[in-house]
Amino acid sequence: MVLITHDLTPDRRVLLRQGVLDVVIDQDPVAKIDQSVAIIAHAYGCNGAAPQDSHTPLRIHVRENC
């Protein structure tokens, strides 16, 4: 059995290090919120510059890199 979950939290980092979880997929929710606010602000004319990129990096964490 392989256990995969989403969002690297402090608790999930511990579970990765203990070998309870095998993989955590993380998309940096804070960066996603910042990008969303910038896109909405631009759409309403509150921000002069259009966001350059709407993608957030996808990070895969395993025991060796957590």
Side-chain angles (χ1 to χ4, degrees), residues 10-32:
D11 291 337
R12 290 184 181 145
R13 186 180 301 273
V14 170
L15 293 173
L16 269 174
R17 289 182 179 153
Q18 293 173 343
V20 175
L21 294 176
D22 297 295
V23 178
V24 175
I25 301 169
D26 190 56
Q27 290 184 299
D28 192 356
V30 172
K32 197 63 161 172

